[in-house]
Amino acid sequence: MGFYIVQFLTGLSSASALFLVASGLSIIFGVTRIVNFTHGSFYMLGAFIAYSLVGVLDGFFGFWISVILSAMAVGLIAVLMEMLILRRIYQAPELFQLVATFGPILIIQDLALDIWGPEDLFGASAPGMDGAITIMGTPMPEYDLALIALSAVVLGGLWLLFNKTRWGTLVRAATEDRDMISALGVNQKWLFTGVFFLGSFLAALGGAAQVPKGGASLIMDFEILAPIFVVVVIGGMGSIPGAFMAALLISELNVFGILVWPESTLVLMFLVMAVVLILRPWGLFGKPEAPGQHGQVGAPEQPYRPLSRKANTLFAAVLGLLLVLPVFASDFSLVLVMDMVVLSLFAASIHFLMGPGGMVSFGHAAYFGGGAYAVALITSHFELPMEVAFFMGPLGACALALLFGWFCVRRSGVYLAMLTLAFAQVAWSVVFQWGELTGGDDGIIGIWPSPWLGSKAAYYYFTLFFGVGGIMVLRRTLFTPFGYAMRACRDSALRSASIGIDVNRQQWLAFAFSGALAGLAGSLFVYSKGSIFPDEMSLARSFDGLIMVLLGGVKTLAGPVAGASAFTWLDDVISRLDYWRVILGSLIILIVLAFPQGIAGFFRERFGVWFGQETDT
Amino acid sequence: MSTSAEFIWDHIMLKVSGIHSYYGRAHILSEISLEVGRGEILALLGRNGAGKSTTMKSIIGLVPPAKGTIEFLGENIQGMPPFMIARKGLGYVPEDRRIFAALSILENLEVGRQPERQGAPYWTLERLFDLFPNLAELRDRPGGHISGGEQQMLTIARTLMGNPSAILLDEPSEGLAPVIVEKMIETIMTLKSEGLSVILSEQNLSFASYVADRATIIEKGQIRYEGTIDELQKNPDVRNAYLSV
């Protein structure tokens, strides 16, 4: 009996960090409508700063003061970010604001590496709480009890703050209708800043408090994102009790699941999410969202038009240049251009889903990497010829997208996006952890094209054929009945349903189609590199894809190609420098501030009339 | 255009001069000019889609006009963010009420609370509950769980919590039962007697004729008629041309 009680309490204590971080994310999203990806970085930063402070401040009180101080410090860093970056772009399309939160992730990664070094840091146990008490014969670490108490205090404190103070009332009102509180004389700016402080404070508090258990490491930022997104989706966005219950549910299932089936952690998370989504699609404590409330990418788009003659000429000219490139370009630049083409296809598949499809995928690398792994696995295990194995990429990715997509399209907007991220993280973890099959961290190597494609130039033309072909297929699809139906579902799910479109099915198939083309890009990629590693499925890769699309401009069909090319080139130029993350992160922020409509959107606005393309308003 | 020479208001509260407003590229308002004096009620009349709500949103700063000036109490407020305009003492009651559904009635009122203001009536919770007795009984009910008429009262009460000296009332009678409309007329007359200036938008004349001193008719984003309510009532041509019957 004692064992089960202790096991239960252990689950409760590990729910603590999850709850703190997830509630912070939820609070920030509720008011600012920004999914703050930097949240994970604030969690990591909280842990690092606490690690350093605990070394200076001694004793029981020193420890807790360190924890609070590091959370405050991170809160202030977050306020700086909010005031310098986010304040300038609250009027920009919601999704574009996401990109602005990617910049600080990169900058914080480099700074943390510089200050605390590359090694994982192991936190000393908390002074005065390093023992264990015995519950019915089973020992229970004191610090776990302290964590339970901490989350209880925070839960109670948040309840009081939101229900018993004027500030809390204003925050709840702002969550419902930001413009209205402004018209009632409330300065939104400072409310946003305050909320950003509170949310980031909670993230850092979660990070700092778990130092004695888990230490601090440079991968904490991405590691925490998937679980907190799952917590938010299960609990219901904006609901603090929901975040608590969901964190508890996942943690308890974890600690008890491990007893029955040690490798079950990931699968359990997946199953819980699946069950909740089927039974209560809007989360345990969430409310059904009003149609079109989330995930709208700015103002409604103009209908797409076929390319004008001038634009067609430009396209033909670029294609012609690409075709003659091998005559004079070095192998090195051919590889760079191949990367650009492959990633353009990847970005175009994300754009297809996000722009015209209205479904934002935060985890599209699952299908890019999934396609690549499908090729690599089939080649290394069955020794199929490349001519066959190549097509396993799109097929495998399509199958994966059909599976994940079935769940994802049950939700819309930001929830759908979070689900895609969570599923992608599951896929990544499976590849990473299932070493016997996938080689784990060592990846799969020696996947080369057939001899007739052996030369760089030959494979270049092969890449060009499938890469450009894939992008044209994606574009062409928008002007087919399938594309019309998909765009109709984006513009109004209700009206589409009322004219006989099965919205879920339409979106599901669009999801799978986009996944298949991401898989095609993965196929091209694996043969151009000769190898595949789990990194290609990681969140960082998914985020690269998002940055490409959003930098290029969501509302232009040329956007993803422009964005991917620019990003690949930029990455190539600066990734050889020291502090390249700081540079890239700062560049991203600058581009977001300077061109809120994206690169292609900017050119279209300036030169669109000349090309006979309608400009966005 | 006729003018209202017989009304000379000693104190202009709000003066809108030649504003132009856009939604994206769509030109919604063109050369809109209005004036309302202390304790005066101006009816802004026009059909659905004529530009009444946009005019109000432009004044309060939610749809900032691209051109023109807006003076409130002698100060240019054009270009200020909505919260600053509201803090100057200009209240806004939106057409769609925009009650915070998850907040209780009391909390809805709390959101509107602003400090007492010189030269404007001061509203305490007690005074508001005297004016709207229904709300007092429902004070702990979530804003989303009350009737449309109660929501309309709440949205006005919420704006009054800011102690404004002038308010913009966007179609307050819309969708209300006749008995509630009568109550609304009483309420507006009470506000007038407190010295509040009101700009009231309506689609037809009947409701406005009970409360308003003057009327301005707007159509397709332009002003078509200005005059006293009495003049307008005697002018069926104008009514038929620009107003719903």
Side-chain angles (χ1 to χ4, degrees):
Chain A
M1 189 61 208
F3 173 75
Y4 291 104
I5 294 176
V6 167
Q7 203 68 8
F8 175 79
L9 290 174
T10 307
L12 201 57
S13 93
S14 61
S16 155
L18 215 48
F19 159 65
L20 292 175
V21 186
S23 58
L25 184 81
S26 197
I27 293 167
I28 290 176
F29 176 82
V31 175
T32 65
R33 299 274 142 194
I34 288 183
V35 180
N36 179 27
F37 279 105
T38 322
H39 208 66
S41 306
F42 293 150
Y43 166 75
M44 176 178 83
L45 216 48
F48 274 117
I49 296 177
Y51 175 88
S52 294
L53 281 178
V54 167
V56 183
L57 301 170
D58 294 330
F60 177 83
F61 290 106
F63 172 81
W64 286 106
I65 290 171
S66 308
V67 168
I68 305 280
L69 277 182
S70 49
M72 304 262 289
V74 173
L76 292 178
I77 294 171
V79 164
L80 209 65
M81 164 181 155
E82 197 269 345
M83 289 173 69
L84 292 179
I85 306 170
L86 297 181
R87 261 194 194 184
R88 292 165 202 275
I89 52 165
Y90 281 125
Q91 302 306 323
E94 272 176 26
L95 282 168
F96 202 65
Q97 300 168 342
L98 275 186
V99 186
T101 73
F102 289 134
I105 296 182
L106 294 169
I107 296 173
I108 291 173
Q109 272 175 352
D110 249 7
L111 292 182
L113 174 67
D114 197 52
I115 299 172
W116 288 282
E119 302 297 325
D120 290 1
L121 304 176
F122 295 99
S125 51
M129 290 164 294
D130 41 6
I133 61 161
T134 311
I135 298 173
M136 296 165 120
T138 312
M140 170 86 203
E142 281 170 9
Y143 191 68
D144 279 357
L145 294 173
L147 285 180
I148 298 174
L150 177 68
S151 43
V153 168
V154 170
L155 186 62
L158 287 177
W159 187 86
L160 285 176
L161 181 66
F162 284 119
N163 290 291
K164 296 291 165 198
T165 68
R166 174 173 163 84
W167 188 81
T169 308
L170 294 181
V171 168
R172 282 161 55 219
T175 306
E176 282 192 44
D177 191 338
R178 292 189 278 177
D179 278 350
M180 194 59 226
I181 67 157
S182 182
L184 289 169
V186 177
N187 188 351
Q188 285 189 40
K189 256 190 194 167
W190 288 108
L191 201 63
F192 280 27
T193 307
V195 160
F196 218 77
F197 176 84
L198 176 66
S200 308
F201 176 90
L202 289 172
L205 190 66
Q210 64 84 55
V211 167
K213 288 182 80 178
S217 72
L218 287 168
I219 56 164
M220 283 170 76
D221 52 353
F222 281 166
E223 227 174 34
I224 193 81
L225 280 180
I228 59 173
F229 280 16
V230 171
V231 164
V232 166
V233 171
I234 293 181
M237 196 67 146
S239 164
I240 289 167
F244 183 77
M245 289 308 293
L248 189 63
L249 184 66
I250 290 178
S251 305
E252 291 299 349
L253 276 172
N254 255 337
V255 291
F256 285 104
I258 276 174
L259 300 178
V260 190
W261 182 18
E263 285 94 15
S264 64
T265 330
L266 283 164
V267 184
L268 271 175
M269 197 161 93
F270 178 90
L271 285 178
V272 174
M273 204 157 69
V275 170
V276 170
L277 278 173
I278 291 167
L279 296 180
R280 276 186 74 87
W282 49 89
L284 294 174
F285 285 67
K287 293 185 196 104
E289 59 231 88
Q293 197 180 354
H294 304 309
Q296 290 276 354
V297 190
E301 290 186 42
Q302 311 240 339
Y304 297 113
R305 288 151 199 275
L307 284 178
S308 69
R309 256 185 66 198
K310 276 178 184 163
N312 257 325
T313 315
L314 181 72
F315 173 70
V318 171
L319 195 61
L321 189 69
L322 287 174
L323 282 172
V324 298
L325 196 68
V327 178
F328 54 86
S330 64
D331 273 7
F332 177 78
S333 21
L334 275 190
V335 169
L336 183 63
V337 174
M338 270 197 272
D339 283 351
M340 284 182 178
V341 172
V342 169
L343 290 176
S344 291
L345 176 58
F346 175 48
S349 75
I350 298 178
H351 171 268
F352 177 83
L353 202 58
M354 176 152 107
M359 289 172 275
V360 184
S361 171
F362 286 168
H364 231 50
Y367 314 109
F368 177 77
Y373 265 101
V375 171
L377 286 171
I378 213 99
T379 309
S380 58
H381 288 264
F382 298 100
E383 309 202 345
L384 285 177
M386 180 231 182
E387 287 77 8
V388 180
F390 180 81
F391 295 99
M392 293 316 293
L395 278 178
C398 183
L400 195 65
L402 278 172
L403 173 68
F404 290 170
W406 192 86
F407 293 100
C408 294
V409 301
R410 252 131 257 278
R411 302 298 305 270
S412 61
V414 70
Y415 291 91
L416 182 150
M418 290 185 159
L419 282 174
T420 58
L421 183 142
F423 280 117
Q425 191 67 357
V426 170
W428 173 81
S429 310
V430 167
V431 167
F432 191 75
Q433 288 175 5
W434 199 356
E436 305 99 84
L437 184 70
T438 62
D441 208 12
D442 299 330
I444 301 174
I445 55 172
I447 313 294
W448 295 107
S450 294
W452 61 279
L453 289 171
S455 76
K456 276 275 173 290
Y459 193 70
Y460 171 81
Y461 282 116
F462 184 79
T463 305
L464 211 55
F465 177 77
F466 279 102
V468 176
I471 294 170
M472 284 167 70
V473 166
L474 280 168
R475 190 188 157 88
R476 193 59 228 146
T477 306
L478 295 179
F479 299 97
T480 62
F482 181 83
Y484 295 150
M486 179 180 80
R487 285 150 63 189
C489 293
R490 170 199 64 185
D491 289 344
S492 171
L494 283 180
R495 270 172 263 173
S496 306
S498 70
I499 55 168
I501 299 174
D502 183 341
V503 176
N504 262 352
R505 189 187 152 84
Q506 183 67 35
Q507 294 188 323
W508 184 40
L509 294 178
F511 197 98
F513 181 60
S514 159
L517 280 142
L520 178 64
S523 275
L524 288 170
F525 180 84
V526 68
Y527 283 114
S528 79
K529 301 293 172 199
S531 57
I532 180 73
F533 300 97
D535 276 0
E536 296 307 326
M537 285 184 92
S538 66
L539 287 189
R541 184 46 106 196
S542 293
F543 290 175
D544 285 351
L546 274 176
I547 292 172
M548 292 171 202
V549 174
L550 292 164
L551 283 188
V554 186
K555 292 196 186 170
T556 41
L557 297 175
V561 176
S565 305
F567 185 85
T568 311
W569 174 76
L570 207 67
D571 200 45
D572 182 68
V573 173
I574 63 173
S575 62
R576 279 169 258 153
L577 306 171
D578 290 337
Y579 296 108
W580 65 271
R581 288 190 196 88
V582 171
I583 300 171
L584 184 62
S586 313
L587 268 174
I588 290 174
I589 295 170
L590 280 179
I591 293 174
V592 168
L593 294 181
F595 308 111
Q597 68 279 63
I599 300 170
F602 172 76
F603 279 104
R604 188 161 147 182
E605 212 158 81
R606 285 292 167 88
F607 309 110
V609 180
W610 191 78
F611 281 113
Q613 300 284 311
E614 271 299 305
T615 52
D616 288 334
T617 48
Chain B
M1 262 194 254
S2 78
T3 49
S4 52
E6 63 263 53
F7 279 87
I8 297 166
W9 298 90
D10 59 337
H11 197 320
I12 303 287
M13 294 292 285
L14 179 70
K15 185 178 160 112
V16 175
S17 318
I19 59 167
H20 289 251
S21 293
Y22 295 79
Y23 279 129
R25 284 194 176 174
H27 196 166
I28 306 294
L29 299 184
S30 172
E31 280 297 310
I32 297 287
S33 299
L34 306 167
E35 252 179 42
V36 63
R38 181 178 296 279
E40 188 190 21
I41 298 186
L42 172 71
L44 184 60
L45 302 175
R47 293 201 178 99
N48 204 6
K52 305 182 297 294
S53 290
T54 307
T55 303
M56 297 205 159
K57 285 180 182 166
S58 293
I59 297 173
I60 194 67
L62 288 172
V63 181
K67 250 170 68 182
T69 59
I70 303 170
E71 275 175 57
F72 180 60
L73 293 169
E75 183 183 2
N76 187 8
I77 57 167
Q78 196 264 322
M80 284 186 186
F83 81 93
M84 278 180 72
I85 296 174
R87 285 184 189 180
K88 304 262 171 224
L90 186 58
Y92 168 61
V93 180
E95 176 188 10
D96 42 1
R97 295 164 194 158
R98 296 171 84 160
I99 293 301
F100 304 113
L103 272 58
S104 70
I105 308 279
L106 270 183
E107 287 172 330
N108 265 280
L109 295 174
E110 174 62 33
V111 175
R113 182 196 294 277
Q114 292 288 323
E116 189 173 358
R117 209 182 305 281
Q118 278 278 306
Y122 178 53
W123 298 93
T124 58
L125 277 180
E126 293 70 44
R127 286 194 65 205
L128 282 173
F129 286 149
D130 283 345
L131 191 61
F132 306 110
N134 278 0
L135 296 183
E137 291 162 28
L138 302 168
R139 62 179 75 196
D140 294 318
R141 189 87 71 84
H145 293 185
I146 59 177
S147 73
E150 288 155 353
Q151 286 196 347
Q152 189 61 54
M153 299 299 170
L154 177 59
T155 179
I156 295 175
R158 186 178 63 181
T159 298
L160 291 177
M161 282 296 283
N163 304 311
S165 44
I167 59 172
L168 311 169
L169 267 182
D170 201 354
E171 299 206 28
S173 73
E174 199 195 17
L176 296 185
V179 50
I180 314 278
V181 171
E182 272 173 44
K183 165 76 183 136
M184 187 61 69
I185 292 169
E186 266 175 55
T187 305
I188 293 172
M189 292 318 284
T190 312
L191 299 183
K192 181 180 166 74
S193 69
E194 292 272 349
L196 239 74
S197 311
V198 179
I199 296 184
L200 166 86
S201 83
E202 277 296 320
Q203 293 198 26
N204 52 54
L205 189 54
S206 59
F207 179 83
S209 64
Y210 290 105
V211 291
D213 302 302
R214 281 188 305 124
T216 293
I217 296 182
I218 179 171
E219 194 210 39
K220 290 184 183 155
Q222 290 179 320
I223 289 187
R224 303 292 183 181
Y225 176 87
E226 280 179 297
T228 64
I229 278 287
D230 298 337
E231 286 167 359
L232 181 58
Q233 279 184 312
K234 289 174 204 145
N235 192 338
D237 295 346
V238 172
R239 288 202 326 258
N240 293 337
Y242 302 121
L243 299 180
S244 324
V245 271

